[in-house]
């Protein structure tokens, strides 16, 4: 057997096992229980990438690595910058591939975060826009930057239904066929309401409800259920959207 044959057989076996994970209701329940209990300790806040807080689950970052390697985008657009760990992570993966740029958008890029990102070794592959992601003037800049490019889109800013839905309407059309729009924190829909006492989002008003609404309006995307079954523990259930047409 050739190495390629062995690899394909291994992949096929993994796909079967992943499907089984997704059908194992006990395992799915344990994953959800782990997520909710660990979230009480802000589990996802405790990881960094190349010195910057990333504020993501390691499982989701591994999924993003797989997608970036598979798609080899020209441009990754992320709405939401915070400390900059995720855009630096994406930039470092593009640096390894030798191609691609990251565009981050945030309503408020705090000076200490901007300084840390701009002085980082990966800054050469990063550009940032300060302003609301749903401001038409900002959207115009993003569309100009994305023109003619193979795009991955990540939405991780304001998590209200209306905001995320508008982001999807503005930016999802930029995603290339075969590429992904990843909507983070759809998990809010599945968490206890008391997790968000001081936030304008919660169950019934969050990124997942926005995804469901957008998919009713637009048939260009489908939820990658196999990827979700692989991760089990993720901030983005129903949030990995593959563009199929």
């Amino acid at each position: 057997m050739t190495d390629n044959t062995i690899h394909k057989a291994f992949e096929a076996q993994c796909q079967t096992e992943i499907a089984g994970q997704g059908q194992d209701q006990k395992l799915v329940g344990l994953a959800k229980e782990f997520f909710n209990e660990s979230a009480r300790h802000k589990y996802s806040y405790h990881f960094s990438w190349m010195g910057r807080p990333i504020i993501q689950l390691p499982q989701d970052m591994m999924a993003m690595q797989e997608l970036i390697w598979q798609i080899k985008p020209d441009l990754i657009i992320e709405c939401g910058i915070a400390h900059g760990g995720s855009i630096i992570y994406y930039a470092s993966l593009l640096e390894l591939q030798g191609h691609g740029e990251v565009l981050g958008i945030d309503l408020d890029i705090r000076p200490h975060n901007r300084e840390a990102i701009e002085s980082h070794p990966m800054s050469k592959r990063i550009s940032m826009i300060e302003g609301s992601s749903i401001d038409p003037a900002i959207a115009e800049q993003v569309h100009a930057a994305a023109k003619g490019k193979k795009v991955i889109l990540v939405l991780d800013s304001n998590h209200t239904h209306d905001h995320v839905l508008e982001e999807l309407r503005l930016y999802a059309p930029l995603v290339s066929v075969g590429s992904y729009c990843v909507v983070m924190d759809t998990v809010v829909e599945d968490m206890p309401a008391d997790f968000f006492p001081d936030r304008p989002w919660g169950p019934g008003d969050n990124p997942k409800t926005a995804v469901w609404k957008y998919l009713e309006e637009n048939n260009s995307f489908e939820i990658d259920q196999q990827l979700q079954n692989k991760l089990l523990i993720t901030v983005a259930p129903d949030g990995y959207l593959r563009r199929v047409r």
Side-chain angles (χ1 to χ4, degrees):
M1 296 177 68
T2 66
D3 181 67
N4 188 50
T5 302
I6 292 169
H7 183 66
K8 284 185 175 180
F10 177 77
E11 283 191 334
Q13 179 183 347
C14 286
Q15 293 303 308
T16 300
E17 292 164 349
I18 289 166
Q21 286 181 178
Q23 294 168 3
D24 185 335
Q25 293 306 303
K26 180 179 179 182
L27 181 59
V28 170
L30 286 169
K32 181 177 180 180
E33 182 179 351
F34 171 83
F35 181 92
N36 284 337
E37 289 304 311
S38 66
R40 298 184 190 280
H41 300 274
K42 292 193 171 182
Y43 174 82
S44 65
Y45 282 66
H46 305 151
F47 301 93
S48 64
W49 184 261
M50 297 183 75
R52 296 303 299 164
I54 199 163
I55 315 182
Q56 295 288 359
L57 290 179
Q59 291 88 340
D60 288 305
M61 291 301 95
M62 180 58 71
M64 291 303 300
Q65 175 275 140
E66 292 185 1
L67 294 180
I68 291 167
W69 179 257
Q70 168 193 325
I71 295 162
K72 295 182 171 53
D74 303 311
L75 180 65
I76 299 172
I77 300 167
E78 178 159 50
C79 296
I81 293 175
H83 296 276
S86 58
I87 59 173
I88 287 171
Y89 176 69
Y90 304 146
S92 70
L93 297 175
L94 296 174
E95 176 72 6
L96 287 171
Q97 294 187 27
H99 175 74
E101 300 175 1
V102 181
L103 174 59
I105 306 139
D106 204 298
L107 180 64
D108 179 19
I109 306 173
R110 296 178 181 178
H112 63 280
N113 287 330
R114 180 183 288 277
E115 181 182 357
I117 295 165
E118 291 180 342
S119 64
H120 196 276
M122 291 299 108
S123 65
K124 62 184 177 180
R125 293 194 180 271
I126 295 171
S127 58
M128 295 180 285
I129 299 174
E130 186 168 35
S132 171
S133 57
I134 60 172
D135 181 332
I138 299 294
E140 186 176 349
Q141 292 181 59
V142 176
H143 277 250
K147 187 175 181 180
K149 295 179 180 177
K150 186 187 295 183
V151 170
I152 291 175
L153 173 65
V154 184
L155 302 182
D156 191 18
S157 60
N158 183 317
H159 298 322
T160 63
H161 173 98
D162 289 345
H163 186 93
V164 177
L165 182 58
E166 186 62 18
E167 286 182 327
L168 284 164
R169 289 168 174 166
L170 285 170
Y171 299 118
L174 298 176
V175 175
S176 311
V177 174
S179 187
Y180 281 73
C181 169
V182 181
V183 184
M184 298 296 190
D185 290 299
T186 51
V187 74
V188 170
E189 176 68 11
D190 308 317
M191 298 175 72
D194 63 5
F195 269 70
F196 314 102
D198 58 346
R199 300 288 188 173
W201 53 78
D205 180 356
N206 56 72
K208 185 182 277 190
T209 60
V211 165
W212 290 341
K213 179 62 176 175
Y214 184 71
L215 293 179
E216 289 177 5
E217 299 176 357
N218 190 302
N219 66 354
S220 295
F221 291 85
E222 64 180 22
I223 294 167
D224 188 339
Q225 188 64 50
Q226 188 79 345
L227 180 53
Q228 186 168 312
N229 290 343
K230 175 162 63 174
L231 296 178
L232 291 179
I233 298 170
T234 174
V235 303
D238 287 6
Y240 285 91
L241 308 180
R242 178 174 51 230
R243 186 159 190 181
V244 293
R245 58 179 64 85

